[in-house]
Amino acid sequence: MKFVANIIPQLPYLRRFARSLTENQANADDLVQCTAEKALKMDKSFLGKGSYRAWLFTILYRTFLDQQMRFQRLNETSLEMVTDISAPETMVERAELRQVTILLQKLPEEQRATLTLVAVEGFSYEEVGKMMNVPIGTVMSRLYRARLKLKNLMGEKKLTRLEIVT
Amino acid sequence: MSHKDVSNDEILAYIDGALPADRCHVVEVYLTKNPDARDFVAAAERQNKMLRTALLPIMDAPVPAGLPDAAMIQRLPRWVELMKIAAVLLAGFVAGFYSDTLVQPKDRPSDLIAKVELAHQIYAQDNAYPVEYWADNQTVLQAWFSARMDAEIKVPSFAEIGFDLVGGRLMMGTKKPAALLVFEADDKRRIALYIRLDMPLTAEQKVNTQVNGKLRMTAWQEQQNGYAISGPLTAHEMLKAAALVKVHNS
């Protein structure tokens, strides 16, 4: 099926984006599931304007916003980090990587999504603007604020020796 | 970070590789003279690298099985799904009526026919003690089945065809316990639904049907799950009952 051929290669990317928006991988996979279902229902409405990948990310983001409106955010203490961070060599690097995933969750969701879509998924400002239905100026403003806030949070959360050891 | 020659937007575009080459040089000169902007760019580039690295394991992880498949099933409107199931079941009925080889080797859906027929006669028709857990303990029943069968067992509803749950009991599969659910209509007719989770994957996938007197039996397999229904049902009722089980499990 054409749909399956289109969506399957995007699943890892959708899962990664969903994971950056949600507190744990289970919630991220639920979000991807909802996205896939909506995409299936709306498949014929994709008119070929822009990339299919961007279209799927748009659906995922809007689904996320819908869910946010319906459900109260989980307590931050329930954050489950990406646990299998094995690539970095040092304990400090591993601890920092864990921390950046936690700090990412502290950004407002529109900033978090914008930063992930641009910095991790490599979408253009224009594509992100279309996904979020906002002008490019708003995308760049959110991106700037996201980076500034994350920089400040990371500055505040300079790893102490104790955090690294534990 | 403002400067008459370089805007914040240009600095962002520089970080993200979206700035035209001729402006990159202007921004780089600007950064050498503005430590705050330089710090911001360095921090952003570090963030980018860390985020990509931190989220990389998700890209390498296998996508959970069924993530797209489940979506495909749920895509279809309920009536389309029912029609598809009915078509498959109808083919099974036709094959069943004209086949002389309903008795198959062990562990095929056709073998479930004999199992459910026997279970129906022994348990479902027993008025005193047809089940181990009654319907008023459905939560316990489901939890018990799930624990014993090592998988989530959901009790389907046959309310659409006028049958309510009586209860359930454990049966024997080949390698694992199996479940038997009994349902009853207002006219006291009873349906038995037999569920097994240990079918061999190589088994036949077609729907099997057999009629013995007033009792009609239908069995089929989905992955390693085997399902068999028996009851004094019309062909139409059996189609609906099987479709309800299929939709319930999808």
Side-chain angles (χ1 to χ4, degrees):
Chain A
M1 292 176 73
K2 188 182 169 191
F3 172 83
V4 176
N6 284 335
I7 197 169
I8 283 180
Q10 298 303 329
L11 287 173
Y13 299 97
L14 292 169
R15 294 182 78 220
R16 178 170 64 178
F17 179 46
R19 175 62 184 85
S20 75
L21 296 175
T22 58
E23 291 81 0
N24 55 50
Q25 195 59 53
N27 288 352
D29 284 341
D30 285 346
L31 185 55
V32 173
Q33 172 78 6
C34 289
T35 301
E37 289 168 17
K38 285 187 180 177
L40 276 160
K41 286 176 188 163
M42 298 162 61
D43 198 33
K44 287 179 183 169
S45 70
F46 175 66
L47 300 174
K49 292 178 182 174
S51 73
Y52 195 82
R53 179 168 184 251
W55 184 71
L56 289 172
F57 273 75
T58 305
I59 295 172
L60 189 147
Y61 181 64
R62 291 180 185 171
T63 303
F64 169 72
L65 291 183
D66 288 346
Q67 290 179 354
Q68 288 297 97
M69 288 173 69
R70 281 199 293 269
F71 302 107
Q72 192 177 358
R73 290 285 308 275
L74 292 175
N75 191 306
E76 284 182 355
T77 54
S78 70
L79 287 174
E80 174 196 309
M81 293 168 289
V82 176
T83 52
D84 185 22
I85 298 171
S86 54
E89 292 296 323
T90 70
M91 197 179 286
V92 174
E93 284 176 324
R94 282 196 293 273
E96 284 178 340
L97 288 177
R98 287 179 193 284
Q99 196 150 53
V100 79
T101 61
I102 295 173
L103 296 179
L104 184 67
Q105 302 289 327
K106 293 185 183 294
L107 300 181
E109 60 211 25
E110 71 276 6
Q111 292 180 22
R112 195 181 344 146
T114 305
L115 180 59
T116 309
L117 288 168
V118 172
V120 180
E121 301 300 335
F123 284 107
S124 69
Y125 302 146
E126 186 182 5
E127 284 175 314
V128 175
K130 284 179 181 168
M131 283 179 203
M132 299 185 156
N133 202 23
V134 294
I136 289 181
T138 304
V139 173
M140 299 188 81
S141 168
R142 287 176 179 176
L143 190 59
Y144 174 71
R145 280 183 276 129
R147 283 175 163 154
L148 193 61
K149 182 162 185 181
L150 196 55
K151 176 177 179 287
N152 292 337
L153 287 169
M154 290 172 79
E156 288 169 11
K157 284 278 182 182
K158 280 283 184 193
L159 293 172
T160 64
R161 185 168 181 78
L162 181 64
E163 283 176 308
I164 294 167
V165 170
T166 56
Chain B
M1 209 167 68
S2 63
H3 186 278
K4 63 181 178 182
D5 293 328
V6 174
S7 67
N8 282 352
D9 286 358
E10 282 188 306
I11 289 174
L12 286 174
Y14 174 79
I15 293 165
D16 296 317
L19 196 65
D22 59 324
R23 290 299 295 170
C24 282
H25 179 67
V26 176
V27 171
E28 282 165 1
V29 171
Y30 172 78
L31 293 178
T32 61
K33 297 173 183 173
N34 292 273
D36 286 349
R38 194 165 59 239
D39 282 353
F40 179 82
V41 170
E45 287 176 341
R46 188 159 173 267
Q47 289 168 15
N48 289 355
K49 187 179 173 189
M50 290 177 76
L51 285 170
R52 288 173 197 147
T53 308
L55 294 167
L56 194 61
I58 298 167
M59 295 296 292
D60 294 335
V63 174
L67 200 54
D69 295 343
M72 287 177 62
I73 291 165
Q74 290 175 23
R75 166 181 64 151
L76 298 171
R78 186 178 171 82
W79 70 269
V80 174
E81 187 67 18
L82 287 169
M83 288 291 285
K84 281 180 67 182
I85 293 162
V88 172
L89 290 172
L90 191 61
F93 277 112
V94 172
F97 280 127
Y98 291 99
S99 170
D100 292 323
T101 56
L102 282 170
V103 179
Q104 303 286 340
K106 266 192 163 183
D107 274 332
R108 293 190 174 191
S110 46
D111 294 299
L112 298 180
I113 297 272
K115 285 260 189 187
V116 77
E117 184 179 15
L118 189 61
H120 194 105
Q121 288 166 353
I122 295 174
Y123 298 116
Q125 291 182 350
D126 185 324
N127 285 325
Y129 206 62
V131 295
E132 290 168 300
Y133 275 99
W134 297 88
D136 54 1
N137 255 335
Q138 187 171 335
T139 308
V140 176
L141 175 68
Q142 288 194 155
W144 179 56
F145 276 159
S146 301
R148 293 300 309 273
M149 296 172 73
D150 198 25
E152 187 185 7
I153 302 295
K154 296 179 286 186
V155 176
S157 168
F158 288 143
E160 269 189 46
I161 54 172
F163 285 81
D164 294 324
L165 179 69
V166 174
R169 64 165 60 242
L170 273 184
M171 301 278 290
M172 285 196 298
T174 299
K175 297 173 184 171
K176 290 182 174 180
L180 183 76
L181 292 161
V182 178
F183 300 80
E184 188 179 72
D186 286 342
D187 59 8
K188 302 299 177 191
R189 286 183 302 153
R190 283 184 175 174
I191 293 175
L193 169 61
Y194 178 69
I195 303 172
R196 263 183 60 181
L197 307 180
D198 57 356
M199 301 290 284
L201 276 172
T202 52
E204 62 194 8
Q205 297 292 320
K206 72 177 185 181
V207 176
N208 291 263
T209 295
Q210 193 169 345
V211 179
N212 186 1
K214 290 183 179 179
L215 207 58
R216 183 181 299 275
M217 285 78 64
T218 288
W220 71 97
Q221 180 171 352
E222 297 169 22
Q223 303 295 324
Q224 284 189 276
N225 299 349
Y227 301 92
I229 302 173
S230 68
L233 302 174
T234 64
H236 180 68
E237 285 175 323
M238 181 60 88
L239 275 171
K240 289 198 78 170
L244 287 167
V245 174
K246 291 271 282 183
V247 169
H248 178 75
N249 290 327
S250 66

